[in-house]
Amino acid sequence: MDSKKSKEVTWTTIRYMISEIQYGGRITDDWDRRQMNTFTEKFFAQYCLDNDCEFLKGYSIPHGIEIGVFRNHIDNKMPAVDIPE
């Protein structure tokens, strides 16, 4: 069996693994599956790794690999109270 093997994991593979493999067995409704696929298309993409990426105003993604970077980001850069949107 010959298959094309990529040296890198693609975003398509990551989205498939999350929406279809991890959650797919638990999703029984077609509309829920469609929603999960939409979420993975939006939140699991290369632009999420860009320095200026924000999912919503005031909710940026911290950059680093140390736990302190993430704790500092949560304590100092995220809003203390969510706005109702």
Side-chain angles (χ1 to χ4, degrees), residues 12-57:
T12 303
T13 302
I14 292 170
R15 288 190 292 265
Y16 181 80
M17 290 177 67
I18 292 169
S19 65
E20 296 294 336
I21 295 174
Q22 293 295 326
Y23 292 101
R26 296 173 186 88
I27 298 173
T28 58
D29 184 83
D30 287 338
W31 287 104
D32 291 343
R33 178 170 279 109
R34 184 176 176 181
Q35 182 178 25
M36 185 64 190
N37 287 333
T38 301
F39 286 159
T40 58
E41 286 288 328
K42 167 105 175 128
F43 297 121
F44 294 92
Q46 185 63 40
Y47 80 91
C48 295
L49 301 178
D50 294 342
N51 288 334
D52 59 349
C53 179
E54 282 188 334
F55 291 128
L56 185 64
K57 186 177 178 182

Side-chain angles (χ1 to χ4, degrees), residues 54-71:
E54 282 188 334
F55 291 128
L56 185 64
K57 186 177 178 182
Y59 293 91
S60 60
I61 300 172
H63 298 284
I65 59 172
E66 300 290 326
I67 189 71
V69 171
F70 290 91
R71 288 181 176 157

